[in-house]
Amino acid sequence: VAAALAEQGVGSGDAVALLARNSSAFIVAMVAISKLGADVLYANTGFAGPQLGDVLASENAAAIVADDEFSEIVREHAGDLPQLWAWVEDGGEPADSIAGLVAAAGDGPAPALPSPAAEGRHVILTSGTTGRPKGAARGTPGALSGLISGIALLDAIPYRAQGTTVLAAPAFHAWGLGNVTIGMILRSTLLMTRRFDPAATLSLVETYGADTIAAVPVMCQRMLEVEGRPDTSSLRIVALSGSALAPTLATRFMDRFGDVLYSLYGSTEIA
């Protein structure tokens, strides 16, 4: 995938927009972009077309990787940029998709790529509620800044190595990406669905014995509304950020699922 992006002119120091929902393709794209020394520009999947266009222009994007469900706005507002499709909804594998590239590569050796001149950055965008979305740049997960961020989270939340995390929070947001980073550091298994479904989330916990859910507070409310009682006894952590957690919701959630809540808030702004 990195080689395919390089063939389209992406190199060290370029910014590549990633407009995709949670999936294995999201992770592959993130790593491939970083492998070239390019910056990963995480676009909000809720962006309207004009917002996406503004962000691509202001951040000087050189290419875009997107789920094909966004093909209409991508072609309208990023039509002049090289494009690679991350997730293809209908199960097809066109040649310009990540799935197609991985399938075509098979078990053969990866193409040789030169070491990038510099490490790429990870650029988180603000939501845009107070104006045009703005980028907040961070170092790579393997860089010192990423390691320090990881240590800070490990100091606050008792993650364990080689655990199993249900990533309910969107990976394009600081909180979801932070948990992806922690998962990589700890060699954890990440369980992802493209859209949050409360019943499916609890079912994943039961099926895989997940010890952690990374979510936002409104997801806790929706999990409380799930009928039945899936076995969630393996849960040790429900890690929250993204918005304030109401004390009444926290109490109701812990009455049902145990004292597993850890709430962090304002990670993008503090960073």
Side-chain angles (χ1 to χ4, degrees):
V1 175
L5 289 170
E7 287 175 1
Q8 297 193 60
V10 176
S12 180
D14 288 334
V16 179
L18 179 54
L19 178 65
R21 300 189 189 276
N22 289 11
S23 73
S24 56
F26 183 104
I27 306 298
V28 171
M30 178 186 76
V31 174
I33 296 166
S34 297
K35 189 172 181 67
L36 296 173
D39 298 343
V40 188
L41 177 63
Y42 296 95
N44 191 321
T45 57
F47 277 168
Q51 276 186 308
L52 176 65
D54 287 346
V55 165
L56 296 175
S58 63
E59 301 292 335
N60 297 312
I64 184 168
V65 181
D67 290 344
D68 77 330
E69 70 175 279
F70 305 113
S71 59
E72 186 175 333
I73 65 169
V74 167
R75 291 187 172 113
E76 181 178 353
H77 297 278
D80 57 339
L81 293 180
Q83 299 164 12
L84 179 65
W85 302 107
W87 184 275
V88 181
E89 286 278 18
D90 63 6
E93 294 184 352
D96 61 346
S97 78
I98 283 178
L101 289 168
V102 171
D107 296 325
L113 291 168
S115 297
E119 288 191 343
R121 303 174 305 159
H122 291 251
V123 182
I124 306 292
L125 294 170
T126 59
S127 63
T129 53
T130 56
R132 182 184 61 77
K134 295 173 273 298
R138 298 182 173 189
T140 61
L144 179 60
S145 59
L147 183 60
I148 291 173
S149 297
I151 291 172
L153 279 177
L154 290 171
D155 186 53
I157 302 175
Y159 294 100
R160 288 179 180 170
Q162 295 179 288
T164 301
T165 295
V166 180
L167 188 69
F172 66 75
H173 188 267
W175 182 234
L177 183 62
N179 278 276
V180 169
T181 303
I182 288 292
M184 288 181 165
I185 292 171
L186 298 180
R187 296 187 297 146
S188 298
T189 297
L190 294 177
L191 305 173
M192 293 177 288
T193 56
R194 286 177 42 74
R195 291 175 176 81
F196 171 70
D197 178 279
T201 296
L202 296 177
S203 178
L204 287 172
V205 172
E206 180 178 49
T207 301
Y208 294 94
D211 53 60
T212 301
I213 298 175
V216 296
V218 68
M219 294 175 177
C220 289
Q221 176 61 51
R222 294 190 60 193
M223 284 187 277
L224 281 173
E225 296 167 358
V226 173
E227 296 181 359
R229 291 277 178 166
D231 181 3
T232 58
S233 58
S234 60
L235 266 183
R236 299 175 50 253
I237 298 165
V238 177
L240 305 175
S241 187
S243 63
L245 174 65
T248 53
L249 175 58
T251 300
R252 288 174 54 223
F253 191 88
M254 289 191 289
D255 283 346
R256 178 167 172 180
F257 296 101
D259 294 346
V260 295
L261 283 184
Y262 294 82
S263 180
L264 286 76
Y265 181 36
S267 56
T268 302
E269 291 77 9
I270 291 171

